[in-house]
Amino acid sequence: MSQVDVFFYEAFDEERALIEKYLPSSIKAGFARETIQETGHQTPPASVISTRTQSHIQDQWASQLTAILSRSTGYNHMQDYRESTGFSGQMGYLPLYCNRAVAEQAMLLWMSLLRKLLLQMERFNSFSRSGLTGYECSGKNLLVVGVGNIGHEVVRIGKGLDMNVYGVDLVKKFDDTNYVDPEEGIAQAHIVVSAMNLTKKNRGYFNYQLLKKAPAGVIFVNVARGELSPIDDLYRLVKEGHLGGLALDVYEQESKIAIFLRSGAAKVGDPLLQKIKELQQLPNVIFTPHNAFNSHEAVLRKAEHSVKQIEHFLQSGRFLWPVPEE
């Protein structure tokens, strides 16, 4: 291992600059923009590493690492690694840095689809308004599935826009949320936002059968985890015209998709990538690169919280915000 205390993977330029700003001089850090698999590292460059969600940590690293910090609000990938390898070191995550940023991105996406923004931009070249009539969100039914820290911000934003807002969650912890059963909520939803944690039990939650129960023309937005909404099912619903709009910031097999797209060498014949590319051409589909967290304010908090986590671990051997046991 090198002479650094912690190594940060998947650190884009703005994030790295802020982490370096907050890091005390006593902590030596290394950085890579790439995922672990893109760097080709065969051994960990430090006993403490930090990733986001696209890095695949090699199984043999489990015996060489003392701690792993995921700079994400989700942690299912960390739990999976712990279970599959028996990793006994410390695991941390960042639960509180991007609630508002992700919720605002969800709003941006459903508003863009309601008002046919992509088509409006295309029609500028002819200055034609035919076929551009969209919808106001006031009075529409917004279903937020997963009313945690992020989902609750979506609820608050929806209420501020005079929408009829409903929430679905196993834990009903917010008094200002009108909770409903999933079937009841889906049956009346004009817009569905996925903000739920990914677990082993809810993979594929937003499948064809569930979304087919929503009114025709429903808009579906996923800013949580791609494994919650299978691309095959979404593709079928869009092609049938049942989904009036689709917006994704997260994807099944996201690390594979991201690496192919970054390299400019998308795998020919890969059915998942083919469907994503085909959907991407449609005026009622918006794909963003897992960027909902990426506001200036949230990245500031992310860097500050990351450094707090690392400092606390190096001083005490534990994280301030540990990954929960399953």
Side-chain angles (χ1 to χ4, degrees):
M1 295 186 185
S2 66
Q3 299 302 310
V4 296
D5 300 301
V6 56
F7 195 94
F8 294 90
Y9 291 97
E10 303 177 66
F12 60 96
D13 292 347
E14 297 93 331
E15 182 186 18
R16 174 176 177 171
L18 288 169
I19 290 173
E20 290 180 320
K21 175 183 175 181
Y22 285 111
L23 271 174
S25 59
S26 59
I27 298 177
K28 296 180 181 179
F31 296 88
R33 293 190 186 95
E34 302 84 4
T35 60
I36 290 173
Q37 55 271 33
E38 287 174 290
T39 64
H41 290 174
Q42 297 302 307
T43 57
S47 63
V48 180
I49 64 170
S50 176
T51 71
R52 293 196 67 244
T53 59
Q54 294 175 8
S55 282
H56 292 160
I57 306 172
Q58 298 184 41
D59 289 353
Q60 61 267 30
W61 287 19
S63 61
Q64 303 173 62
L65 295 171
T66 59
I68 306 169
L69 171 66
S70 183
R71 302 187 313 284
S72 62
T73 58
Y75 48 74
N76 61 285
H77 56 298
M78 303 286 278
Q79 292 176 327
D80 290 345
Y81 185 75
R82 183 160 56 196
E83 180 180 348
S84 65
T85 65
F87 179 69
S88 59
Q90 296 295 305
M91 287 185 159
Y93 74 118
L94 307 178
L96 301 173
Y97 82 94
C98 65
N99 304 339
R100 186 69 185 190
V102 175
E104 288 187 3
Q105 177 93 347
M107 175 193 67
L108 170 71
L109 294 172
W110 85 61
M111 292 284 285
S112 297
L113 290 169
L114 280 173
R115 295 304 298 270
K116 302 184 179 181
L117 182 60
L118 294 179
L119 197 55
Q120 286 194 56
M121 294 167 67
E122 179 187 313
R123 291 290 179 80
F124 172 77
N125 294 318
S126 62
F127 229 84
S128 167
R129 300 185 186 94
S130 297
L132 293 187
T133 304
Y135 293 91
E136 298 174 5
C137 60
S138 178
K140 299 298 184 295
N141 297 334
L142 169 65
L143 181 68
V144 183
V145 185
V147 190
N149 294 325
I150 292 172
H152 186 239
E153 287 294 323
V154 179
V155 168
R156 292 180 61 230
I157 288 171
K159 287 183 173 183
L161 294 170
D162 295 325
M163 304 178 78
N164 305 314
V165 185
Y166 305 92
V168 171
D169 205 300
L170 294 174
V171 180
K172 300 174 176 59
K173 66 178 182 178
F174 296 105
D175 294 337
D176 61 350
T177 299
N178 183 8
Y179 292 97
V180 296
D181 293 330
E183 299 283 335
E184 177 188 354
I186 285 287
Q188 61 183 330
H190 298 115
I191 298 151
V192 177
V193 173
S194 167
M196 65 197 306
N197 289 334
L198 177 65
T199 69
K200 292 179 180 178
K201 294 181 179 179
N202 65 16
R203 288 176 182 266
Y205 184 91
F206 296 98
N207 55 35
Y208 179 88
Q209 290 75 21
L210 180 64
L211 291 175
K212 192 69 173 180
K213 295 176 182 178
V218 65
I219 288 173
F220 177 69
V221 176
N222 190 353
V223 290
R225 285 291 181 266
E227 291 82 1
L228 294 166
S229 54
I231 285 290
D232 286 347
D233 291 25
L234 298 178
Y235 178 90
R236 183 180 172 190
L237 288 159
V238 170
K239 288 295 185 177
E240 290 178 356
H242 189 75
L243 281 183
L246 170 65
L248 302 180
D249 188 54
V250 289
Y251 307 88
E252 283 184 282
Q253 302 180 47
E254 186 173 299
S255 60
K256 179 182 80 169
I257 291 168
I259 290 170
F260 280 145
L261 294 175
R262 277 197 292 266
S263 69
K267 187 176 179 181
V268 176
D270 185 282
L272 180 63
L273 283 165
Q274 285 184 330
K275 286 180 177 175
I276 287 174
K277 284 294 190 181
E278 185 176 341
L279 287 171
Q280 190 182 18
Q281 305 307 311
L282 301 177
N284 62 336
V285 174
I286 301 175
F287 292 153
T288 52
H290 201 150
N291 194 61
F293 73 93
N294 197 9
S295 70
H296 180 73
E297 296 84 356
V299 176
L300 277 171
R301 288 189 293 269
K302 183 181 187 182
E304 184 179 8
H305 291 186
S306 295
V307 171
K308 280 185 178 180
Q309 283 279 61
I310 295 300
E311 282 187 297
H312 195 271
F313 171 78
L314 292 176
Q315 291 169 6
S316 69
R318 302 187 65 82
F319 285 116
L320 281 170
W321 301 293
V323 171
E325 299 289 339
E326 290 188 84

